[in-house]
Amino acid sequence: MTLAVDAVDAFVRARGTPRADDCATTLAKPTGKTLELLAEARRLLELERRAGGALAVDAETPSRATSHGAGYVLSKEVDDVVVGLQTTRALTRTMKPLGGLRVVEKALGERGATMKEDAKKFFDDWVTTHNDAVFDLYTDEMRSARKAHLLLGLPDAYGRGRLIGDYRRVALFGVDRLIAEKQIDKDAIATSDEEDLRARFEVSEQIRALERLKAMAKMYGFDIGAAARDCKEAVQWTYFAYLACVKEHDGAAISLGRVDAFFDVYIERDMKAGFIDESGAQELIDNFVLKLRLVRHLRPEAYDDIFAGDPIWATCCVGGMQMNGTDTLVTKTSWRFLQTLRNMGAAPEPNMTVLWSESLPKPFKEFAAAISIESSSIQFISDDLLREKFQSSDVGISCCVSGMQLGHTMQYFGARCNLPKLLLYALNGGRDEITGARVAPALFDDEVPEGVLQYDDVMKRFTAYMDWLAKLYVETMNCIHYSHDRFNYEALFFALMDTDCKRMMAFGIAGLSVVADSLSAIKHAKVKMIRDEKSGLSTRFEVDGDWPAFGNDDDEVDTIAASVVETFISSLRKTPAYRGSEHTLSILTITSNVMYGKHTGATPDLRKLGEPFAPGANPMHNRDKTGALNSLNSVAKIPYASCMDGISNTFSITAPSLGKTDGTRVSNLTALLDGYFSHGAQHLNVNCIDRSVLLDAMAHPDNYPTLTIRVSGYAVNFIKLSRAHQEEVIARTFHASL
């Protein structure tokens, strides 16, 4: 694209108004219009919950930017600050069959609906879906690994997600300029080989998607062909771009990026001109956020096993520093976004993310800490690590913890692999410890080690199996993303990125602390595998002696965890990724740590068959016994250089443990975050809540309609979680001391 490479970033840096002062006392309360819309939204959300999780579905019209007419929460006259819904009625879930017809049919059937016959016949007879293509390409080995829950959560039956369009470009340039620039890019692409032809076709698709975006906005009476002229248009144009992407794709994560400083340029200019006051500015941000809270996708019930709580991951980043690390990107609108959690109450969406640096203005850090303590609705990401990785200050987070340079990078989502199960495969000669099926090859002549397990021998076996799985994992992802590009291409997302964007492929690990503790036990104690007499497979382990557990700032085990991720990313990089993508790795489970544990046998750390793993990079439940700071220190040792897709850590602490007064708690949490990130950590969720509250919410959900908690990289309404997920959250460590 011939637009300046960093045009949006340059616009913000040249015209922004950084704020280092305390803005808390000048923030506005919600307006009457906001409260009226919020009341209706809450009424609909309660009806949705009582309906079993889906208020309404459209089984007739496949969703596209222009497939449904204009929609309003109440009337057009009241809902006129930031307009636009996915359909004509709020909270209606729509079909996106290009991802997979059977998936859509299943999701509809579970909600008592049936796809309109002519639509079903058309897709059955004439369309190859992404899901169809993936399973045509899968090898038997890939299918076996998927069925055995060794590779799971794969984006082969839902939109792949992890794409962030730079929605701000629509406001800054207007759609007509974006179309013209894409046409220039297309004309510059040769036709000499298959890659060129694919690129030309994809840019053509992008141009058509931009035309649909413009047509969608026209339904609401807006011409977004030209750039936004004021702050209301800047917010509206940006939201239209996001809304059109939501309407066209059901990616696991459709994140927002970073708009606070960008919106602030327009708001500050309009304030100086007398066109808007503080109340109007807050109303604009409140209504924008309220619309993000109402985004919905049609998902089958099985999706909830992997991604519990009906998340969208409309991740919204605020704060951060400029590239020099000295000048801040915090603006008054950064404060306004966090203020929405007071004006409209705690909520999981958008996934509010503070880009943290010790150099952030102290008042803003303390305000973010205070809102976090009040709401448990904020996650914190190291802005310093992101700037270093992408060599840019215009960075954001996709999904939970995955960094992006906005508009310049994209990511192929790769879910995660089950490393504790793989360790058991290494001890069982490649056979599944539960079913006995041959999933992995027998890589050693003596398939099963005898007697007390020897650390060096186990590591040799485990490393060999990591090499085998890494190759299979990359090849599986290549099948998925080839199919997605060909049969369910996200044209509008890519229309809002550079034509020649940098590509990353994100792989993931589940159960890192289980593996670290298991290997620690083998190394420091005497571990014997107890086998089933008939099958010869492991059923449990006997451990004689003590061993250091991950989460207590003990290098004896923390270095094992670091070594495992370094080894696995090295193994992944041996196999080329689709379209030359950079291999990245995350320690992130979303909420699938429950489902992963359910399908994994007993492990050498004395975790029993079926018990959940710890979420993300967390220590196993209640094994971090030496205080909160030591738990954080262990996670901070996991090297970001090997896990550049992110290292999720969910931290729960009771309010009294942070301090006796509100002021002390804020100061202590601010200092804790500064210290944690100064050690090289990448991410932290903070739940400041007592276990008794969660127990009461589980027993009396009607009393807790907005109770929000952080899980593994995102937030959920606690009462939307299944019983199993609720019990796992309650079983986690709640630190009673720093």
Side-chain angles (χ1 to χ4, degrees), residues 8-214:
V8 180
D9 188 27
F11 174 80
V12 169
R13 285 186 282 105
R15 305 191 185 200
T17 307
R19 296 292 294 266
D21 57 319
D22 189 344
C23 300
T25 59
T26 61
L27 293 168
K29 302 287 187 182
T31 64
K33 184 171 287 187
T34 298
L35 291 174
E36 189 174 359
L37 291 171
L38 179 61
E40 175 64 8
R42 285 177 172 169
R43 185 186 74 83
L44 294 173
L45 289 167
E46 178 59 20
L47 290 175
E48 179 184 61
R49 184 177 76 84
R50 294 186 181 280
L55 180 61
V57 296
D58 181 345
E60 295 189 2
T61 308
S63 183
R64 216 171 195 189
T66 53
S67 59
H68 295 78
Y72 302 90
V73 175
L74 281 168
S75 66
K76 183 177 180 180
E77 290 69 33
V78 176
D79 187 10
D80 66 345
V81 180
V82 177
V83 303
L85 296 174
Q86 290 167 276
T87 70
T88 56
R89 296 174 56 205
L91 302 183
T92 299
R93 298 170 193 251
T94 57
M95 304 183 294
K96 301 184 179 80
L98 288 178
L101 187 63
R102 290 182 296 277
V103 177
V104 170
E105 288 186 288
K106 182 174 178 59
L108 289 172
E110 290 168 349
R111 289 159 178 81
T114 303
M115 184 184 292
K116 189 177 179 182
E117 186 57 36
D118 57 351
K120 179 181 183 309
K121 181 172 176 54
F122 173 78
F123 281 94
D124 267 336
D125 292 348
W126 294 98
V127 177
T128 298
T129 70
H130 164 235
N131 182 247
D132 294 332
V134 169
F135 282 88
D136 282 344
L137 291 176
Y138 273 171
T139 65
D140 289 342
E141 194 174 39
M142 292 171 185
R143 290 172 181 265
S144 294
R146 185 184 188 274
K147 182 179 179 181
H149 305 279
L150 188 61
L151 295 177
L152 205 62
L154 302 176
D156 54 13
Y158 58 86
R160 61 187 169 192
R162 293 288 183 88
L163 303 177
I164 307 179
D166 190 352
Y167 315 109
R168 304 167 301 179
R169 292 182 180 185
V170 174
L172 186 59
F173 298 110
V175 171
D176 290 347
R177 172 78 182 278
L178 297 180
I179 290 174
E181 297 291 346
K182 284 292 183 180
Q183 187 62 54
I184 292 171
D185 288 352
K186 178 184 174 182
D187 292 342
I189 300 171
T191 57
S192 56
D193 58 30
E194 186 176 348
E195 279 297 310
D196 289 341
L197 295 173
R198 175 166 62 177
R200 283 182 64 85
F201 180 76
E202 287 179 349
V203 176
S204 297
E205 289 282 275
Q206 294 170 25
I207 291 170
R208 283 189 284 272
L210 288 168
E211 290 168 346
R212 291 195 300 273
L213 165 61
K214 187 177 178 182

Side-chain angles (χ1 to χ4, degrees), residues 474-495:
V474 177
E475 292 173 349
T476 303
M477 290 303 102
N478 291 346
C479 291
I480 290 171
H481 294 296
Y482 165 84
S483 301
H484 212 294
D485 273 352
R486 182 166 179 185
F487 297 106
N488 195 14
Y489 181 64
E490 301 100 328
L492 185 54
F493 283 102
F494 285 104

Side-chain angles (χ1 to χ4, degrees), residues 207-269:
I207 291 170
R208 283 189 284 272
L210 288 168
E211 290 168 346
R212 291 195 300 273
L213 165 61
K214 187 177 178 182
M216 183 197 77
K218 190 174 182 180
M219 295 178 180
Y220 289 90
F222 293 96
D223 181 0
I224 62 174
R229 296 165 297 181
D230 55 35
C231 64
K232 186 170 181 180
E233 286 190 353
V235 174
Q236 184 66 69
W237 274 214
T238 302
Y239 175 64
F240 275 148
Y242 180 83
L243 177 63
C245 286
V246 166
K247 292 181 70 170
E248 298 218 336
H249 286 277
D250 64 347
I254 301 184
S255 298
L256 180 65
R258 186 177 192 171
V259 296
D260 55 333
F262 179 75
F263 287 167
D264 195 76
V265 172
Y266 295 87
I267 291 172
E268 285 294 313
R269 186 183 66 185

